[in-house]
Amino acid sequence: KQKKLYDAAVAKGKNPKSDFNFFQIALTHVWKKLSEEDKASLRATAARWNNEGPKPEVKARLAEKHTAKKLADFAQEMWLAMGARMLFFVSFKRPNGKIACTQLDFNDTLGNGKSY
């Protein structure tokens, strides 16, 4: 199926070599096959997510998986742009329902910084 979509994109003069380009081509292909009812449901879900964010269980899974990386990237951005050092106290609900609390300190990885 992927090969077929890839070949069709090349035949149309598109460059599906980047992941994003290929994703858009595949997404358009899938979207065209959906019923109007399915499209309306997906639009409603997108609007709800844009207003409220994902469901709590999804937020919990995302928080556990991505919080440290996102905050490390933010700390580096603040250091490079403003010379600001950051120390984070983070709390979020884990997928098991328990609250996680931790301190994140990336200062020893920025410039000549030391951890607090």
Side-chain angles (χ1 to χ4, degrees):
K1 187 86 173 176
Q2 287 179 339
K3 174 95 170 98
K4 187 176 178 183
L5 288 171
Y6 179 87
D7 291 343
V10 170
K12 290 181 182 178
K14 297 186 177 181
N15 176 15
K17 293 190 180 190
S18 81
D19 290 342
F20 184 76
N21 286 344
F22 187 71
F23 174 78
Q24 286 300 113
I25 292 165
L27 184 62
T28 299
H29 177 76
V30 170
W31 185 259
K32 286 180 180 178
K33 290 187 172 197
L34 293 174
S35 69
E36 287 305 314
E37 184 178 311
D38 287 340
K39 288 178 184 179
S41 174
L42 290 170
R43 284 185 186 110
T45 299
R48 189 176 69 252
W49 276 43
N50 285 336
N51 289 330
E52 304 168 10
K55 294 178 182 178
E57 58 270 16
V58 174
K59 286 180 183 180
R61 196 172 61 246
L62 292 172
E64 189 160 70
K65 186 174 182 179
H66 299 290
T67 297
K69 172 76 169 105
K70 293 257 185 198
L71 290 176
D73 291 347
F74 180 66
Q76 182 174 16
E77 181 181 332
M78 293 299 289
W79 169 249
L80 293 174
M82 301 173 203
R85 296 199 177 271
M86 311 295 290
L87 177 65
F88 302 97
F89 181 74
V90 183
S91 175
F92 58 87
K93 190 179 280 191
R94 289 193 158 146
N96 66 8
K98 294 184 178 181
I99 300 296
C101 295
T102 188
Q103 174 183 313
L104 296 173
D105 183 351
F106 305 102
N107 289 296
D108 60 336
T109 65
L110 305 171
N112 290 326
K114 295 180 183 176
S115 293
Y116 289 102

